[in-house]
Amino acid sequence: MSEAFLVEAARLLGPKGLTTDPDDMAAWLTDWRGRYTGAALALASPASTEEVSGLVRLCARHGVPIVPQGGNSGMSGGATPFETGREIVLSLRRMNRITALDVAGRTATCEAGVILQVLHEAAEKEGLRFPLTLGGKGSATIGGLVSTNAGGTQVLRHGSMRALVLGIEAVLADGSVLDLLTPLKKDNRGFDLKQVLIGSEGTLGIVTAATLRLSPGIAGRSVMWAGTASLHDARSLLLLAEDMAPGLVEGFEVLPQHSLEAVQAYLPDTRAPLAGPHVWHALIELVTDDAETADRLPDIAERLLASAFERGLIADATIAASEDQAERLWLIRETISPAERALGPAMQHDISVPVEKMPAFVEAAVPRLEADWPGTRAVCFGHLGDGNVHFHVIAPEGADRAEWESGDGKAISAQVHDMVTAWGGSISAEHGIGRLKRDELARLADPAMLATMRAIKQALDPKGLLNPGKLV
Amino acid sequence: MSEAFLVEAARLLGPKGLTTDPDDMAAWLTDWRGRYTGAALALASPASTEEVSGLVRLCARHGVPIVPQGGNSGMSGGATPFETGREIVLSLRRMNRITALDVAGRTATCEAGVILQVLHEAAEKEGLRFPLTLGGKGSATIGGLVSTNAGGTQVLRHGSMRALVLGIEAVLADGSVLDLLTPLKKDNRGFDLKQVLIGSEGTLGIVTAATLRLSPGIAGRSVMWAGTASLHDARSLLLLAEDMAPGLVEGFEVLPQHSLEAVQAYLPDTRAPLAGPHVWHALIELVTDDAETADRLPDIAERLLASAFERGLIADATIAASEDQAERLWLIRETISPAERALGPAMQHDISVPVEKMPAFVEAAVPRLEADWPGTRAVCFGHLGDGNVHFHVIAPEGADRAEWESGDGKAISAQVHDMVTAWGGSISAEHGIGRLKRDELARLADPAMLATMRAIKQALDPKGLLNPGKLV
């Protein structure tokens, strides 16, 4: 049966569009974090929406499950096939054209396989920008970013992917093409199907293209670093910044002293931004698209920090004097993940709670975990402005990675997720559910929510061939 | 059977919660435009989410269809029962508490029955505002606004209702309560069910509460009126405004000379804002939340108009010198609908096309319709900045209303909708589908879109008891 399928698929997609060679497939069968390695019947790389549609019809006829894949840089194993070898990986990477870039209307229409950084560069060439960025920008694709509703460090001002998607095109489970690509600022023709597909991780349809909102180019930015005594003070600093620089706060990231020291150990050339240690550090970025505001930006930044000092919110602070200094401050932030990982095994949690509760949550959760699991160290860093931190729990020194991760580590993750749920938060703020958190979602989600998601999945993919075993 | 249902419902809801008295029900059985008058088994007015849930369970058991209703000010008959008398009207008006107003976090949580104007006033009292407004603000409810994804005159800067909803609570078809009220800035736990319910017009669930985003209070505004020779020039003026006053353009409305004269005939005290007639008029509003920008606003407005003159985009313009003058300019805009209606029978269409195509669309569609239907007059006005105009076609003089509306008028509407669809636009930009446009949606929507909507409807309301016969 799979023989017949492969013959037909090869005829449909041509030699560039299908491979069953283990060497060609290998790189796409392991997820980015190296947590899962699967097997696949074939790697299909269609070149057009019509080919995707034809392939999905073929899969429906033969009952072949499909794992859609973009840049293979997801954090939750959502794009990795299972070990059965019964699935195909459907890579969108060959569909990599920016089909329209409307400078006046500030939109770009991209095929699913366009790499984020390529879009950044294309927009910049026109004096515009696509205001979403993240560590994996060199491999993450537009289709993957839409399918996972990706976040990043600019969500505070520009929103997640959902806020930047004006239109999408997707192939549904029966192979039909849902064309919602034309951006209409207002459209109340019933259910907003675009929203249903965004963030559905390939389980309801395969995103083949998207029309995205672009922003004007940056006219000026100011990057600051401040030391605070508590996360409460950091949160007050954020509110002050939003008050004194309305509409300009693009990034507000926090890290504890521990993370700064981890980065210094990992990249020994890293200079501490401030003279002494601080319980918490905040990285603040103001950005404007407007030349006049750009002129006032240094003044706004100085007054903000002065006011924060006066109120006793910060103990020390600095403003980057050049682009180079600004980049070096951001490099510290971007190096936390690998630096913390280099310290040994750790359970990583991508969580959110209501923004105003985050300081209290961290103050409650960190000592609780460290007390319950002697020898561990809990470290939180990230997007305080979005109520989203990355909550890492580092194993006791000398712990065996495999043993700890599948034993205590697993129990620790369950406890973190329990606490987050009790605080009204989310066990996946921006990384998605994928394979990694499917069981935890089933365990913790409100039954009405879960039942509704399952009903929608059943309705739109009755044969269960779209990324089965992921998300729901 | 309906007897048993009514006895149980009366027991559940108490004397204030249920009536079958025709006099009590009458006002709620006719839609706001007076287009439909239905009948109902009862008018149910639950006082809490628990009562809504209990009632929906009861309806499910007895097979009684439910028509959810807020302020009964919808434009598409979506909240009016059919003539059969088999349905109940479920009014959310008694659930009218603002249960939380978080000033620091700038959010408000409202039960579904809170009236828009009440929320406006509550926010204002705290130095904040809820930045969505429309003609029916004195009766429209939060639940209705969420369920229809309402628009209005501030969408350009703040988005439709969807952009302002942070969380919702809804009762599903089986009576279960979907609690998504806690606002999380980032949450990627699977499908965004909130988005599925927003704009679903009560066909997938009954919205019982919502958490909404508030904005800082207005620090300053500048209202301008300009005369232009073409809609293309008006659109260029909009782009110039967005360029010279980035982030400040809150309203950009257009009207033809015909609409201005209709308003002057309807409200004889109305002074024309400019000395002579112009082919098109544009009403532009700049708004800022920031005191410093407020000081610069008059200067920004003057420079904008000066630059528009220089470029030959406008022939004449004025800046409101006081709040009173500003209000009088807006009064003209808000009076167009009743003024045009007073001229006799007209078919009204709430349409959108991609923003950049709107000038060309109007230039193509208006003469075409007037040529095809001698004696008619086509008038477009409204939210050019959103690519959304209200496209009215006025009957030939002396036409009989009933006869024209059901004959030529109907054919004209079909033609307008055909043209909009051919241009990649929407037959309902902001008013929703309801009963009014259900058949047109079925006729014109892309088959994949329609099939997907029907599959979702079937999945979430398998018995078809939630607002049946509306939307899909």
Side-chain angles (χ1 to χ4, degrees):
Chain A
M1 191 173 121
S2 64
E3 267 313 306
F5 165 78
L6 287 173
V7 169
E8 281 192 68
R11 195 180 311 141
L12 177 72
L13 301 173
K16 276 192 195 165
L18 194 82
T19 177
T20 55
D21 180 332
D23 289 343
D24 289 349
M25 297 203 287
W28 312 107
L29 301 180
T30 295
D31 77 308
W32 186 75
R33 280 184 163 173
R35 208 186 301 253
Y36 306 111
T37 296
L41 197 58
L43 171 68
S45 308
S48 67
T49 301
E50 292 64 41
E51 287 190 6
V52 175
S53 166
L55 181 65
V56 171
R57 273 179 221 278
L58 193 64
C59 287
R61 216 165 62 234
H62 289 267
V64 174
I66 300 165
V67 180
Q69 191 180 81
N72 194 27
S73 54
M75 306 289 269
S76 304
T80 309
F82 284 93
E83 294 74 6
T84 62
R86 286 190 53 245
E87 301 169 305
I88 62 159
V89 172
L90 194 168
S91 166
L92 281 302
R93 272 179 301 276
R94 273 180 78 207
M95 293 173 58
N96 62 0
R97 289 176 312 148
I98 298 175
T99 53
L101 208 160
D102 175 354
V103 175
R106 288 187 196 140
T107 65
T109 302
C110 300
E111 291 182 337
V114 169
I115 286 171
L116 179 55
Q117 192 163 337
V118 171
L119 175 60
H120 283 164
E121 287 161 9
E124 233 164 82
K125 223 182 267 174
E126 303 292 344
L128 299 171
R129 71 171 173 142
F130 180 62
L132 183 139
T133 193
L134 35 71
K137 66 185 170 190
S139 50
T141 61
I142 297 306
L145 294 163
V146 171
S147 299
T148 58
N149 184 30
T153 49
Q154 299 170 341
V155 172
L156 191 57
R157 181 154 172 249
H158 299 280
S160 298
M161 200 65 188
R162 189 180 297 281
L164 302 171
V165 174
L166 301 173
I168 64 167
E169 179 193 75
V171 173
L172 303 176
D174 64 355
S176 63
V177 178
L178 188 63
D179 178 359
L180 304 167
L181 213 47
T182 308
L184 293 171
K185 275 192 126 163
K186 279 183 176 168
D187 184 10
N188 271 347
R189 279 176 298 173
F191 318 151
D192 192 339
L193 301 179
K194 176 174 89 238
Q195 304 291 351
V196 179
L197 285 156
I198 296 171
S200 69
E201 303 184 15
T203 64
L204 301 180
I206 298 162
V207 174
T208 46
T211 302
L212 304 169
R213 184 197 312 279
L214 302 177
S215 294
I218 294 179
R221 72 166 177 164
S222 176
V223 177
M224 291 159 267
W225 190 285
T228 77
S230 75
L231 215 45
H232 288 282
D233 286 349
R235 157 109 173 113
S236 300
L237 175 60
L238 167 61
L239 290 176
L240 186 67
E242 287 181 333
D243 209 52
M244 292 184 68
L248 303 177
V249 186
E250 180 153 313
F252 195 100
E253 303 282 312
V254 294
L255 51 150
Q257 181 69 22
H258 182 277
S259 294
L260 177 59
E261 287 168 13
V263 171
Q264 290 181 295
Y266 187 76
L267 289 182
D269 284 348
T270 308
R271 266 227 319 258
L274 305 176
H278 296 274
V279 185
W280 287 95
H281 298 260
L283 172 59
I284 310 145
E285 175 162 302
L286 308 182
V287 169
T288 181
D289 324 326
D290 165 35
E292 247 169 293
T293 310
D295 291 343
R296 296 187 303 127
L297 217 48
D299 185 46
I300 293 172
E302 261 176 51
R303 279 190 299 141
L304 167 61
L305 293 181
S307 176
F309 270 118
E310 249 170 58
R311 287 157 199 247
L313 298 179
I314 59 176
D316 193 5
T318 183
I319 305 178
S322 64
E323 268 301 297
D324 183 57
Q325 274 185 28
E327 283 305 315
R328 266 184 283 153
L329 295 180
W330 270 109
L331 181 64
I332 294 175
R333 164 63 187 92
E334 281 155 11
T335 310
I336 300 173
S337 255
E340 291 282 0
R341 226 169 320 186
L343 297 178
M347 300 308 288
Q348 302 170 17
H349 311 92
D350 162 45
I351 58 159
S352 66
V353 298
V355 187
E356 70 280 7
K357 289 186 182 167
M358 187 50 93
F361 174 78
V362 171
E363 276 182 10
V366 166
R368 172 71 183 278
L369 270 163
E370 289 178 350
D372 286 357
W373 302 93
T376 63
R377 170 135 207 170
V379 176
C380 299
F381 62 89
H383 325 297
L384 183 67
D386 308 321
N388 167 210
V389 297
H390 300 295
F391 193 119
H392 287 198
V393 183
I394 303 166
E397 236 173 289
D400 175 77
R401 179 183 297 268
E403 192 186 316
W404 185 77
E405 282 183 356
S406 60
D408 285 4
K410 210 168 168 186
I412 287 169
S413 282
Q415 188 176 343
V416 171
H417 292 158
D418 284 343
M419 286 191 288
V420 165
T421 304
W423 282 67
S426 169
I427 63 166
S428 175
E430 58 177 7
H431 292 170
I433 297 297
R435 177 171 174 181
L436 180 66
K437 295 184 189 167
R438 191 182 78 126
D439 294 345
E440 280 296 81
L441 182 68
R443 181 173 76 85
L444 291 166
D446 172 71
M449 178 176 155
L450 209 56
T452 307
M453 289 208 283
R454 286 177 175 157
I456 292 175
K457 168 70 177 173
Q458 174 64 27
L460 301 195
D461 180 23
K463 294 184 181 172
L465 296 180
L466 293 178
N467 218 2
K470 312 286 167 57
L471 207 165
V472 281
Chain B
M1 190 175 124
S2 67
E3 266 313 306
F5 166 77
L6 288 171
V7 168
E8 281 192 71
R11 195 181 308 141
L12 176 74
L13 301 174
K16 277 192 194 162
L18 194 81
T19 180
T20 55
D21 181 332
D23 290 345
D24 289 348
M25 295 203 288
W28 312 108
L29 301 180
T30 295
D31 78 307
W32 186 75
R33 279 185 164 171
R35 207 185 302 252
Y36 305 111
T37 296
L41 197 58
L43 171 68
S45 308
S48 67
T49 301
E50 292 65 39
E51 287 190 5
V52 175
S53 166
L55 181 65
V56 171
R57 272 178 221 280
L58 195 62
C59 287
R61 216 165 60 236
H62 289 267
V64 174
I66 300 165
V67 180
Q69 191 181 80
N72 194 26
S73 52
M75 306 290 269
S76 304
T80 309
F82 283 92
E83 294 75 7
T84 62
R86 285 189 54 245
E87 301 169 304
I88 62 160
V89 172
L90 194 168
S91 167
L92 281 302
R93 273 178 300 275
R94 274 178 78 207
M95 294 174 58
N96 61 2
R97 290 176 312 149
I98 298 175
T99 53
L101 208 159
D102 175 353
V103 176
R106 289 189 196 138
T107 65
T109 302
C110 300
E111 290 182 338
V114 169
I115 287 171
L116 179 56
Q117 192 162 338
V118 172
L119 175 61
H120 283 165
E121 287 161 9
E124 234 165 81
K125 222 182 265 174
E126 302 293 344
L128 299 172
R129 70 170 174 143
F130 180 63
L132 182 140
T133 194
L134 36 70
K137 66 185 171 189
S139 50
T141 61
I142 298 305
L145 294 164
V146 172
S147 299
T148 58
N149 184 30
T153 49
Q154 299 170 342
V155 172
L156 190 56
R157 182 154 171 248
H158 299 280
S160 296
M161 201 67 188
R162 188 180 299 278
L164 302 170
V165 174
L166 301 173
I168 64 165
E169 180 193 74
V171 173
L172 303 176
D174 65 355
S176 63
V177 178
L178 188 63
D179 179 358
L180 304 167
L181 213 47
T182 307
L184 293 171
K185 275 192 126 163
K186 277 185 181 168
D187 184 9
N188 271 347
R189 280 176 297 174
F191 318 151
D192 192 339
L193 301 179
K194 177 174 89 240
Q195 304 291 352
V196 179
L197 285 156
I198 296 172
S200 69
E201 304 185 15
T203 64
L204 300 179
I206 298 163
V207 174
T208 48
T211 301
L212 304 170
R213 185 197 311 277
L214 303 177
S215 294
I218 293 179
R221 71 165 176 162
S222 178
V223 177
M224 291 158 267
W225 190 285
T228 76
S230 75
L231 214 46
H232 288 280
D233 286 351
R235 159 110 173 113
S236 300
L237 175 61
L238 167 61
L239 291 176
L240 186 67
E242 287 181 332
D243 209 51
M244 293 185 67
L248 303 176
V249 186
E250 180 154 312
F252 196 99
E253 302 283 312
V254 294
L255 51 150
Q257 181 68 21
H258 182 276
S259 294
L260 177 60
E261 287 168 12
V263 170
Q264 289 181 299
Y266 186 75
L267 289 182
D269 285 348
T270 308
R271 269 229 315 261
L274 304 175
H278 296 274
V279 184
W280 287 95
H281 297 260
L283 173 58
I284 308 144
E285 175 162 301
L286 308 182
V287 169
T288 180
D289 325 326
D290 165 35
E292 247 169 293
T293 310
D295 292 342
R296 296 188 302 130
L297 217 48
D299 186 46
I300 293 172
E302 260 175 53
R303 278 190 300 141
L304 167 61
L305 293 181
S307 176
F309 271 117
E310 249 170 59
R311 288 159 199 247
L313 298 179
I314 58 177
D316 193 6
T318 181
I319 304 178
S322 65
E323 268 303 296
D324 184 56
Q325 275 184 26
E327 282 306 313
R328 268 184 282 155
L329 295 181
W330 270 108
L331 182 64
I332 294 174
R333 165 64 187 91
E334 279 154 13
T335 309
I336 300 173
S337 254
E340 291 282 0
R341 225 167 322 184
L343 297 179
M347 300 310 287
Q348 301 169 19
H349 311 93
D350 161 44
I351 59 158
S352 66
V353 297
V355 187
E356 70 280 8
K357 289 188 184 166
M358 187 50 94
F361 174 77
V362 170
E363 274 182 12
V366 166
R368 171 72 184 274
L369 270 162
E370 290 177 348
D372 286 357
W373 302 94
T376 62
R377 170 133 207 171
V379 177
C380 298
F381 63 90
H383 324 297
L384 182 67
D386 307 321
N388 167 210
V389 297
H390 300 296
F391 193 117
H392 287 199
V393 183
I394 303 166
E397 237 174 289
D400 175 77
R401 180 182 298 269
E403 193 187 314
W404 185 77
E405 282 182 357
S406 60
D408 285 4
K410 212 168 167 185
I412 287 169
S413 283
Q415 189 176 343
V416 171
H417 292 158
D418 284 343
M419 285 191 287
V420 165
T421 304
W423 282 66
S426 168
I427 63 166
S428 175
E430 59 176 9
H431 292 169
I433 297 296
R435 178 172 173 180
L436 180 66
K437 295 184 189 167
R438 193 182 75 127
D439 295 344
E440 281 294 82
L441 183 67
R443 180 172 77 85
L444 291 167
D446 171 72
M449 176 176 158
L450 209 57
T452 307
M453 290 209 280
R454 285 177 177 157
I456 291 175
K457 167 71 176 173
Q458 173 66 25
L460 300 195
D461 181 23
K463 294 184 180 171
L465 296 179
L466 293 178
N467 218 3
K470 312 285 166 57
L471 207 165
V472 280

